[in-house]
Amino acid sequence: MPPLTELTKDQAYAIADSLAQASSLVLELRIRERDALAPEERMLLEQYENHLDQMVALFRAYGISLIAAGAEQARGDIEGAIAKGKLQLRRIADVKAAIAAAARLVDLGAAILSRDPFAIGEAAASLRARPKKAEAA
Amino acid sequence: MQRPSTIPLPTLLPATLAALLLAGCTANLAPVRTFAEQTHKLSGSFDPMLAGTFNSCTDKALRKRLILAERFDAQASEQAARADCAPVAQASVAIGKLNDVLARYAQTLAAVADEKLPVHMEEFTALGDALGGLAQPGSGAPLLDADKLSKVVKLSEHLSRLATQRLQKSALRELLDEQEAVTILSNALKEYAQRNYRAGLQDELRDLALLRGAVDSAAPREPLAANYIRARLHLESRQLQERERIVAAYVAAVDALQASVAALRTNLDRLQAPELEQQLAQFSGHVAALQKQAAFYGPARW
């Protein structure tokens, strides 16, 4: 619908509201003159109302798309800030992981110094196994 | 042989004590968490407006046809109403995304302001245990005695806590610097609530008044059916008025949200400031009122 693109948001909503009121006026007429109108006339009025209601929905939908477009830049900015915040959270998690890794390295060092093959194997296994868990967390 | 434990530790002790004394003044990010929690609730209370706007459009069409259609066909009426209102539902998807971003913004703020984040005690306890297990080669005596070990662990924990708090503060600063974007985005949500959700309710209310008149004139012929429909219309009209009040409550809560972001941003270095506390209390109050009013989102009950 190319002509719609010329409309401002305020115009789109003003048109929608006027059409909605027009639909109510037709409804009022249909109710007031119910007995005076022929069935075909009543059906015609009902159709007018439906068309008007369809137009209301279209103009309101257009207004919504203009609201969303107006906030698009802001949405992008906030998404960017969220991504940065998550990155900082990762850094903090990395600090925790680094401390835990240091403890496991010390364990391995101690095991090597003690020349206890069982302890070496255990410490080495813990060093291999833990980073996976840290990643999943 | 040199005892490695005797060299650096004595010089560390004064620093350790100073650091432990300072440990009392850790940053309390509770106000940020309060803001995040209220913002999340606010976003949750907006969500039903999206479906509500579409339902308002279809309800209006169906109600009118049900009472006044020349040839009423329930299934065809419903299909027609859904098709006519579909553009509104489609356009509203983008608004849902905006509201979703607001919710995720709140979640990220809450995660960054998590009080457990700067606590690395568990990790340092493991490191302490590992260090405590180190023995001096040859003698087998512990490399670090228990007292020194505990001081090293506490100091390390404290320094890491400070480092993490600096990271938290800078992340919070960056999130709050988006104050203007948050204002623009929440204004868009507010506008949707007023120009679409509320406009739909007002259309329904206008029609309801007319339909009541139509039912009244049919009452002499169909008194029981007329009574049933009149009661139904009365109930729906009351519910619609309550829904309109959700919009007013939402607008007030968004205004408080915008003022709260501004207050948080200004007071990030003095989060216990009374004016911030007052602002957040006001925000929480508006969100609580909104949540209470949001009970009327549901369909009218007998």
Side-chain angles (χ1 to χ4, degrees), chain A:
Chain A
M1 247 181 292
L4 277 183
T5 56
E6 307 293 323
L7 280 181
T8 66
K9 193 167 57 184
D10 285 344
Q11 286 169 332
Y13 278 111
I15 291 171
D17 290 344
S18 310
L19 290 172
Q21 278 162 24
S23 164
S24 286
L25 288 175
V26 178
L27 175 66
E28 191 187 0
L29 178 71
R30 188 154 63 99
I31 291 169
R32 187 158 29 94
E33 304 295 329
R34 195 169 192 189
D35 298 330
L37 292 168
E40 303 79 50
E41 290 172 318
R42 290 203 297 261
M43 267 175 72
L44 201 62
L45 286 179
E46 196 184 334
Q47 273 174 27
Y48 285 156
E49 268 173 61
N50 290 341
H51 287 317
L52 286 170
D53 290 342
Q54 279 170 8
M55 296 304 284
V56 172
L58 283 176
F59 277 91
R60 292 233 171 101
Y62 181 66
I64 295 172
S65 68
L66 290 182
I67 292 179
E72 195 48 37
Q73 169 81 37
R75 187 175 80 92
D77 290 348
I78 297 175
E79 290 279 20
I82 291 173
K84 277 193 208 161
K86 290 207 166 134
L87 201 69
Q88 296 281 54
L89 286 170
R90 279 297 293 264
R91 273 188 209 142
I92 294 169
D94 286 349
V95 171
K96 279 192 195 290
I99 302 164
R104 293 194 298 275
L105 276 172
V106 170
D107 275 340
L108 181 63
I112 290 170
L113 284 176
S114 72
R115 299 199 172 86
D116 173 351
F118 180 71
I120 293 172
E122 208 175 39
S126 125
L127 202 57
R128 272 197 307 272
R130 293 286 279 275
K132 264 188 211 157
K133 192 184 159 198
E135 233 164 68

Side-chain angles (χ1 to χ4, degrees), chain B residues 7 19 43 58 84 99 101 112 118 126 130-132 135 157 178 183 192 195 203 223 228 252 271 274 298-299:
Chain B
I7 298 166
S43 166
T58 54
D84 289 353
N99 190 43
V101 170
V112 170
L131 288 173
E157 210 278 330
E178 293 305 332
T183 302
Y192 179 87
R195 291 186 137 168
D203 291 350
Y228 178 86
L271 285 171

